[in-house]
């Protein structure tokens, strides 16, 4: 069966290249080679186009539609997960290409609303998980002190509410919406068992979770020519952020006994680059550390030709780092922190070595091992390459195609408790202090289907058409409206099926009144559904 697949990613080569983007692009190419039609919708933060302008490009044989985004689209204190402009762009592509599969990669900055649209068009929805964003707004599952978060349901401890641009949306509303929308997904693909387990802990359905390793471009890394060096070269490729643990490696190098025989290649960029440069200068590591800057993915092979051992010292649990799989296919042993998906890729004492994350002495011990047993560099590297040669993108795509075509699996209903939606982006402050077990809060515009809500609160200056109000009442929604909307108030009085308030602060008092009386909610919903206009 041949498919038309719409791949969505918040960034896409060549404008931005990270692990997730490399995976998305290579999957698109592999699917195209297999005879399927592939179209990509991607975010763009680099071009000179107007914000939300959509334009078409072709990159390495793949048709890519890019939508111009701004920094605000990605800010963690903004709504970086729902966007009507992105929804409209997505709908236009769906109507034009009529895809039967939506495959989502990283989507922060775009819109989870496309899932509702895809389901309305009868599409199968697949998401490849690349990090913890589905249940952690920071992606990393790290607290502000860089310690692992042990309570994944307490997001408000890190950020009580989204407050950008004068909005006030309690973090619970984000969490509730994610649970609501992601339960409509047909298939979740996790490259690591580690990440799959974490999503299951967060309440995601086990019957939809699948572990499929990321593929690797085996042909691209064939015939690698190692450039000889008098030093033993340790290389890191990726983002320069605190959570990546690069400072642990620099601290190890500063007090290393074989310091003069060691070289560290740092490939990439990020907010911590200046801090690393200062450390190198202050500790006399200028002859040991080389900053390569950003290297285009098409040229990263050159980096590995100047590498003896790859290292990744992350202090947060990685999923399945693409940089590790690249190093392995190039025949390089890996030193990795003993966290997350690293443990599934690196077989300690066979394809590399594992060390305690953040522990300088533990890392120095592993570095020393390769100086004392240099023959292990080749041995471990060959072992790593043999494993990755069995994991090409074409082989990976066969497994993914099986998921596109398998019979849909039923999961538990997404409804849980009472669903309350507020019009606008300023919620009553009282919600941030509630710890409800069976209450779900949303921004009204996020919810596309009327039957999914129980209580709707309109803002003081609501412009909702009367016809829409009638439709919502007949769908069983209990309306709480401002007194200034005399037309709606008259309707509610006549049918005795809702409430009206005089001041915005008093609106939540009605919500609380109803939440304390679940039988009244059911009675009012039934009464609303029986109304005829």
């Amino acid at each position: 069966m041949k498919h038309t697949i719409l791949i969505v990613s918040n960034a896409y080569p060549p404008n931005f290249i990270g692990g997730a983007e490399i995976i998305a692009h290579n999957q698109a190419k592999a699917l195209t080679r297999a005879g399927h039609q592939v179209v990509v919708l991607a975010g763009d933060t680099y071009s000179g186009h107007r914000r939300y302008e959509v334009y078409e490009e072709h990159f390495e044989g793949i048709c890519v539609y890019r939508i111009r985004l701004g920094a605000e689209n990605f800010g963690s204190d903004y709504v970086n997960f729902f966007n009507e402009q992105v929804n409209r762009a997505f709908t236009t592509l769906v109507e034009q290409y009529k895809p039967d599969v939506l495959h989502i990669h990283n989507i922060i900055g775009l819109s989870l609303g496309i899932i509702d649209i895809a389901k309305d068009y009868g599409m199968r929805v697949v998401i490849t998980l690349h990090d913890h964003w589905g249940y952690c707004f920071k992606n990393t599952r790290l607290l502000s002190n860089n310690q692992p978060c042990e309570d994944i349901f307490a997001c408000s401890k890190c950020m009580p509410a989204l407050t950008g641009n004068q909005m006030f949306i309690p973090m619970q509303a984000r969490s509730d919406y994610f649970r609501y929308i992601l339960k409509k997904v047909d298939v979740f693909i996790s490259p690591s068992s580690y990440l799959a387990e974490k999503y299951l802990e967060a309440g995601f359905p086990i019957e939809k979770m699948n572990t499929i390793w990321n593929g690797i471009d085996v042909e691209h890394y064939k015939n690698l020519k190692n450039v000889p060096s008098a030093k033993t070269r340790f290389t890191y490729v990726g983002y320069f952020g605190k959570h990546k643990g690069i400072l642990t490696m620099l601290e190890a190098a500063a007090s290393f006994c074989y310091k003069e025989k060691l070289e560290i290649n740092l490939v990439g960029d990020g907010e911590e680059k200046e801090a690393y440069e200062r450390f190198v200068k202050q500790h006399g590591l200028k002859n040991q550390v080389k900053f390569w800057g950003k290297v285009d993915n098409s040229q990263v092979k050159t980096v590995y030709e100047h590498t003896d051992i790859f290292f990744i010292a992350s202090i947060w649990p990685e999923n399945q780092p693409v940089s590790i799989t690249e190093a392995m296919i190039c025949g390089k042993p890996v030193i990795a922190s003993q966290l997350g998906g690293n443990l599934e890729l690196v077989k300690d004492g066979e394809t590399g070595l594992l060390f305690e994350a953040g522990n300088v002495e533990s890392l120095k011990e592993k570095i020393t091992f390769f100086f004392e047993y240099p023959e292990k560099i080749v041995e471990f590297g060959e072992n790593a390459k043999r494993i990755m040669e069995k994991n090409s993108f074409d082989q990976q795509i066969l497994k993914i195609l099986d998921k596109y075509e398998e019979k849909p699996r039923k999961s538990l209903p997404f409804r849980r408790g009472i669903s309350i939606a507020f019009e606008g982006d300023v919620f009553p402050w009282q919600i941030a202090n509630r710890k409800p077990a069976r209450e779900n809060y949303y921004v009204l515009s996020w919810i596309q289907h009327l039957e999914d809500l129980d209580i709707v609160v309109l803002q003081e200056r609501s412009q909702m058409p009367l016809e829409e109000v009638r439709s919502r009442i007949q769908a069983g929604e209990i309306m709480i409206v401002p007194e200034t909307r005399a037309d709606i108030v008259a309707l509610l009085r006549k049918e005795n099926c809702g409430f009206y308030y005089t001041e915005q602060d008093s609106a939540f008092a009605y919500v609380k009144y109803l939440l304390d009386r679940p039988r009244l909610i059911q009675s009012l919903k039934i009464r609303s559904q029986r109304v005829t206009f």
Side-chain angles (χ1 to χ4, degrees), residues 94-115:
V94 170
E95 292 178 347
Q96 178 178 349
Y97 288 95
K98 298 177 172 54
D100 60 299
V101 175
L102 166 63
H103 194 143
I104 297 171
H105 288 270
N106 280 346
I107 196 173
I108 180 173
L110 293 173
S111 181
L112 287 170
I114 67 174
I115 295 174

PDB file of all heavy atoms in Angstrom, residues 94-115:
ATOM      1  N   VAL A  94      -3.425  19.792   3.786  1.00  0.00           N
ATOM      2  CA  VAL A  94      -4.240  18.573   3.832  1.00  0.00           C
ATOM      3  C   VAL A  94      -5.234  18.556   2.679  1.00  0.00           C
ATOM      4  O   VAL A  94      -5.415  17.534   2.002  1.00  0.00           O
ATOM      5  CB  VAL A  94      -4.973  18.451   5.189  1.00  0.00           C
ATOM      6  CG1 VAL A  94      -6.005  17.334   5.149  1.00  0.00           C
ATOM      7  CG2 VAL A  94      -3.969  18.197   6.309  1.00  0.00           C
ATOM      8  N   GLU A  95      -5.877  19.688   2.433  1.00  0.00           N
ATOM      9  CA  GLU A  95      -6.853  19.760   1.340  1.00  0.00           C
ATOM     10  C   GLU A  95      -6.178  19.649  -0.021  1.00  0.00           C
ATOM     11  O   GLU A  95      -6.765  19.122  -0.979  1.00  0.00           O
ATOM     12  CB  GLU A  95      -7.656  21.053   1.455  1.00  0.00           C
ATOM     13  CG  GLU A  95      -8.568  21.061   2.685  1.00  0.00           C
ATOM     14  CD  GLU A  95      -9.336  22.357   2.834  1.00  0.00           C
ATOM     15  OE1 GLU A  95      -8.987  23.344   2.136  1.00  0.00           O
ATOM     16  OE2 GLU A  95     -10.279  22.394   3.650  1.00  0.00           O
ATOM     17  N   GLN A  96      -4.932  20.123  -0.110  1.00  0.00           N
ATOM     18  CA  GLN A  96      -4.222  20.069  -1.387  1.00  0.00           C
ATOM     19  C   GLN A  96      -3.686  18.673  -1.694  1.00  0.00           C
ATOM     20  O   GLN A  96      -3.835  18.171  -2.814  1.00  0.00           O
ATOM     21  CB  GLN A  96      -3.058  21.062  -1.384  1.00  0.00           C
ATOM     22  CG  GLN A  96      -2.227  21.060  -2.659  1.00  0.00           C
ATOM     23  CD  GLN A  96      -1.112  22.092  -2.631  1.00  0.00           C
ATOM     24  OE1 GLN A  96      -1.061  22.961  -1.755  1.00  0.00           O
ATOM     25  NE2 GLN A  96      -0.211  22.014  -3.598  1.00  0.00           N
ATOM     26  N   TYR A  97      -3.078  18.014  -0.696  1.00  0.00           N
ATOM     27  CA  TYR A  97      -2.405  16.734  -0.948  1.00  0.00           C
ATOM     28  C   TYR A  97      -3.202  15.513  -0.490  1.00  0.00           C
ATOM     29  O   TYR A  97      -2.879  14.389  -0.880  1.00  0.00           O
ATOM     30  CB  TYR A  97      -1.037  16.726  -0.242  1.00  0.00           C
ATOM     31  CG  TYR A  97      -0.034  17.631  -0.905  1.00  0.00           C
ATOM     32  CD1 TYR A  97       0.157  18.940  -0.450  1.00  0.00           C
ATOM     33  CD2 TYR A  97       0.718  17.206  -2.003  1.00  0.00           C
ATOM     34  CE1 TYR A  97       1.076  19.788  -1.062  1.00  0.00           C
ATOM     35  CE2 TYR A  97       1.639  18.035  -2.618  1.00  0.00           C
ATOM     36  CZ  TYR A  97       1.808  19.332  -2.147  1.00  0.00           C
ATOM     37  OH  TYR A  97       2.716  20.162  -2.743  1.00  0.00           O
ATOM     38  N   LYS A  98      -4.204  15.723   0.355  1.00  0.00           N
ATOM     39  CA  LYS A  98      -5.040  14.636   0.863  1.00  0.00           C
ATOM     40  C   LYS A  98      -4.210  13.475   1.449  1.00  0.00           C
ATOM     41  O   LYS A  98      -4.352  12.310   1.050  1.00  0.00           O
ATOM     42  CB  LYS A  98      -5.975  14.118  -0.230  1.00  0.00           C
ATOM     43  CG  LYS A  98      -6.947  15.188  -0.718  1.00  0.00           C
ATOM     44  CD  LYS A  98      -7.820  14.702  -1.846  1.00  0.00           C
ATOM     45  CE  LYS A  98      -8.895  15.726  -2.171  1.00  0.00           C
ATOM     46  NZ  LYS A  98      -8.364  17.079  -2.439  1.00  0.00           N
ATOM     47  N   PRO A  99      -3.345  13.763   2.385  1.00  0.00           N
ATOM     48  CA  PRO A  99      -2.523  12.705   2.994  1.00  0.00           C
ATOM     49  C   PRO A  99      -3.378  11.759   3.838  1.00  0.00           C
ATOM     50  O   PRO A  99      -4.429  12.143   4.356  1.00  0.00           O
ATOM     51  CB  PRO A  99      -1.546  13.488   3.873  1.00  0.00           C
ATOM     52  CG  PRO A  99      -2.271  14.758   4.196  1.00  0.00           C
ATOM     53  CD  PRO A  99      -3.096  15.087   2.997  1.00  0.00           C
ATOM     54  N   ASP A 100      -2.911  10.538   3.952  1.00  0.00           N
ATOM     55  CA  ASP A 100      -3.609   9.579   4.816  1.00  0.00           C
ATOM     56  C   ASP A 100      -2.853   9.353   6.122  1.00  0.00           C
ATOM     57  O   ASP A 100      -3.382   8.727   7.047  1.00  0.00           O
ATOM     58  CB  ASP A 100      -3.821   8.245   4.100  1.00  0.00           C
ATOM     59  CG  ASP A 100      -2.522   7.588   3.675  1.00  0.00           C
ATOM     60  OD1 ASP A 100      -1.785   8.188   2.881  1.00  0.00           O
ATOM     61  OD2 ASP A 100      -2.242   6.460   4.141  1.00  0.00           O
ATOM     62  N   VAL A 101      -1.604   9.878   6.208  1.00  0.00           N
ATOM     63  CA  VAL A 101      -0.808   9.740   7.426  1.00  0.00           C
ATOM     64  C   VAL A 101      -0.218  11.100   7.804  1.00  0.00           C
ATOM     65  O   VAL A 101       0.334  11.806   6.952  1.00  0.00           O
ATOM     66  CB  VAL A 101       0.344   8.720   7.244  1.00  0.00           C
ATOM     67  CG1 VAL A 101       1.222   8.686   8.500  1.00  0.00           C
ATOM     68  CG2 VAL A 101      -0.194   7.327   6.938  1.00  0.00           C
ATOM     69  N   LEU A 102      -0.350  11.450   9.067  1.00  0.00           N
ATOM     70  CA  LEU A 102       0.358  12.604   9.636  1.00  0.00           C
ATOM     71  C   LEU A 102       1.430  12.055  10.561  1.00  0.00           C
ATOM     72  O   LEU A 102       1.125  11.311  11.499  1.00  0.00           O
ATOM     73  CB  LEU A 102      -0.599  13.498  10.436  1.00  0.00           C
ATOM     74  CG  LEU A 102       0.054  14.551  11.350  1.00  0.00           C
ATOM     75  CD1 LEU A 102       0.862  15.551  10.535  1.00  0.00           C
ATOM     76  CD2 LEU A 102      -0.993  15.265  12.197  1.00  0.00           C
ATOM     77  N   HIS A 103       2.696  12.394  10.286  1.00  0.00           N
ATOM     78  CA  HIS A 103       3.797  11.939  11.137  1.00  0.00           C
ATOM     79  C   HIS A 103       4.461  13.180  11.737  1.00  0.00           C
ATOM     80  O   HIS A 103       5.082  13.968  11.025  1.00  0.00           O
ATOM     81  CB  HIS A 103       4.808  11.117  10.346  1.00  0.00           C
ATOM     82  CG  HIS A 103       5.761  10.366  11.220  1.00  0.00           C
ATOM     83  ND1 HIS A 103       6.220   9.102  10.906  1.00  0.00           N
ATOM     84  CD2 HIS A 103       6.342  10.675  12.411  1.00  0.00           C
ATOM     85  CE1 HIS A 103       7.037   8.683  11.864  1.00  0.00           C
ATOM     86  NE2 HIS A 103       7.122   9.641  12.786  1.00  0.00           N
ATOM     87  N   ILE A 104       4.330  13.332  13.054  1.00  0.00           N
ATOM     88  CA  ILE A 104       4.833  14.501  13.769  1.00  0.00           C
ATOM     89  C   ILE A 104       6.161  14.178  14.438  1.00  0.00           C
ATOM     90  O   ILE A 104       6.314  13.127  15.059  1.00  0.00           O
ATOM     91  CB  ILE A 104       3.816  14.959  14.833  1.00  0.00           C
ATOM     92  CG1 ILE A 104       2.503  15.391  14.168  1.00  0.00           C
ATOM     93  CG2 ILE A 104       4.385  16.098  15.670  1.00  0.00           C
ATOM     94  CD1 ILE A 104       1.385  15.653  15.154  1.00  0.00           C
ATOM     95  N   HIS A 105       7.110  15.107  14.315  1.00  0.00           N
ATOM     96  CA  HIS A 105       8.361  15.038  15.074  1.00  0.00           C
ATOM     97  C   HIS A 105       8.288  16.158  16.128  1.00  0.00           C
ATOM     98  O   HIS A 105       7.260  16.313  16.767  1.00  0.00           O
ATOM     99  CB  HIS A 105       9.558  15.140  14.141  1.00  0.00           C
ATOM    100  CG  HIS A 105       9.750  13.887  13.330  1.00  0.00           C
ATOM    101  ND1 HIS A 105      10.530  12.838  13.751  1.00  0.00           N
ATOM    102  CD2 HIS A 105       9.222  13.507  12.130  1.00  0.00           C
ATOM    103  CE1 HIS A 105      10.489  11.863  12.853  1.00  0.00           C
ATOM    104  NE2 HIS A 105       9.698  12.240  11.870  1.00  0.00           N
ATOM    105  N   ASN A 106       9.347  16.903  16.364  1.00  0.00           N
ATOM    106  CA  ASN A 106       9.248  18.007  17.326  1.00  0.00           C
ATOM    107  C   ASN A 106       8.243  19.036  16.825  1.00  0.00           C
ATOM    108  O   ASN A 106       8.317  19.460  15.669  1.00  0.00           O
ATOM    109  CB  ASN A 106      10.612  18.670  17.528  1.00  0.00           C
ATOM    110  CG  ASN A 106      11.488  17.878  18.478  1.00  0.00           C
ATOM    111  OD1 ASN A 106      11.016  16.983  19.178  1.00  0.00           O
ATOM    112  ND2 ASN A 106      12.774  18.198  18.524  1.00  0.00           N
ATOM    113  N   ILE A 107       7.340  19.456  17.707  1.00  0.00           N
ATOM    114  CA  ILE A 107       6.265  20.351  17.250  1.00  0.00           C
ATOM    115  C   ILE A 107       6.161  21.618  18.095  1.00  0.00           C
ATOM    116  O   ILE A 107       5.321  22.475  17.846  1.00  0.00           O
ATOM    117  CB  ILE A 107       4.922  19.588  17.236  1.00  0.00           C
ATOM    118  CG1 ILE A 107       3.879  20.334  16.414  1.00  0.00           C
ATOM    119  CG2 ILE A 107       4.453  19.291  18.655  1.00  0.00           C
ATOM    120  CD1 ILE A 107       2.588  19.570  16.209  1.00  0.00           C
ATOM    121  N   ILE A 108       7.018  21.778  19.092  1.00  0.00           N
ATOM    122  CA  ILE A 108       7.007  23.002  19.888  1.00  0.00           C
ATOM    123  C   ILE A 108       7.163  24.206  18.956  1.00  0.00           C
ATOM    124  O   ILE A 108       7.993  24.213  18.057  1.00  0.00           O
ATOM    125  CB  ILE A 108       8.134  22.985  20.954  1.00  0.00           C
ATOM    126  CG1 ILE A 108       8.120  24.266  21.776  1.00  0.00           C
ATOM    127  CG2 ILE A 108       9.500  22.773  20.332  1.00  0.00           C
ATOM    128  CD1 ILE A 108       9.085  24.260  22.949  1.00  0.00           C
ATOM    129  N   GLY A 109       6.327  25.229  19.149  1.00  0.00           N
ATOM    130  CA  GLY A 109       6.340  26.400  18.280  1.00  0.00           C
ATOM    131  C   GLY A 109       5.307  26.324  17.176  1.00  0.00           C
ATOM    132  O   GLY A 109       4.960  27.343  16.575  1.00  0.00           O
ATOM    133  N   LEU A 110       4.817  25.123  16.886  1.00  0.00           N
ATOM    134  CA  LEU A 110       3.788  24.953  15.856  1.00  0.00           C
ATOM    135  C   LEU A 110       2.429  24.810  16.543  1.00  0.00           C
ATOM    136  O   LEU A 110       2.033  25.697  17.259  1.00  0.00           O
ATOM    137  CB  LEU A 110       4.127  23.753  14.968  1.00  0.00           C
ATOM    138  CG  LEU A 110       5.383  23.943  14.103  1.00  0.00           C
ATOM    139  CD1 LEU A 110       5.749  22.653  13.376  1.00  0.00           C
ATOM    140  CD2 LEU A 110       5.181  25.068  13.091  1.00  0.00           C
ATOM    141  N   SER A 111       1.734  23.684  16.355  1.00  0.00           N
ATOM    142  CA  SER A 111       0.410  23.567  16.964  1.00  0.00           C
ATOM    143  C   SER A 111      -0.020  22.120  17.082  1.00  0.00           C
ATOM    144  O   SER A 111      -0.047  21.384  16.100  1.00  0.00           O
ATOM    145  CB  SER A 111      -0.628  24.336  16.139  1.00  0.00           C
ATOM    146  OG  SER A 111      -1.906  24.235  16.735  1.00  0.00           O
ATOM    147  N   LEU A 112      -0.380  21.733  18.305  1.00  0.00           N
ATOM    148  CA  LEU A 112      -0.962  20.403  18.505  1.00  0.00           C
ATOM    149  C   LEU A 112      -2.391  20.343  17.976  1.00  0.00           C
ATOM    150  O   LEU A 112      -2.957  19.259  17.845  1.00  0.00           O
ATOM    151  CB  LEU A 112      -0.951  20.047  19.993  1.00  0.00           C
ATOM    152  CG  LEU A 112       0.413  19.697  20.588  1.00  0.00           C
ATOM    153  CD1 LEU A 112       0.328  19.613  22.107  1.00  0.00           C
ATOM    154  CD2 LEU A 112       0.946  18.389  20.022  1.00  0.00           C
ATOM    155  N   GLY A 113      -2.955  21.488  17.650  1.00  0.00           N
ATOM    156  CA  GLY A 113      -4.291  21.519  17.068  1.00  0.00           C
ATOM    157  C   GLY A 113      -4.388  20.772  15.748  1.00  0.00           C
ATOM    158  O   GLY A 113      -5.482  20.364  15.338  1.00  0.00           O
ATOM    159  N   ILE A 114      -3.255  20.550  15.086  1.00  0.00           N
ATOM    160  CA  ILE A 114      -3.284  19.817  13.818  1.00  0.00           C
ATOM    161  C   ILE A 114      -3.711  18.367  14.025  1.00  0.00           C
ATOM    162  O   ILE A 114      -4.173  17.716  13.079  1.00  0.00           O
ATOM    163  CB  ILE A 114      -1.926  19.883  13.089  1.00  0.00           C
ATOM    164  CG1 ILE A 114      -0.835  19.135  13.863  1.00  0.00           C
ATOM    165  CG2 ILE A 114      -1.516  21.327  12.825  1.00  0.00           C
ATOM    166  CD1 ILE A 114       0.492  19.045  13.133  1.00  0.00           C
ATOM    167  N   ILE A 115      -3.587  17.854  15.247  1.00  0.00           N
ATOM    168  CA  ILE A 115      -4.025  16.472  15.513  1.00  0.00           C
ATOM    169  C   ILE A 115      -5.531  16.365  15.358  1.00  0.00           C
ATOM    170  O   ILE A 115      -6.051  15.434  14.720  1.00  0.00           O
ATOM    171  CB  ILE A 115      -3.565  16.023  16.906  1.00  0.00           C
ATOM    172  CG1 ILE A 115      -2.037  15.948  16.961  1.00  0.00           C
ATOM    173  CG2 ILE A 115      -4.180  14.668  17.279  1.00  0.00           C
ATOM    174  CD1 ILE A 115      -1.477  15.652  18.339  1.00  0.00           C
TER     175      ILE A 115
END
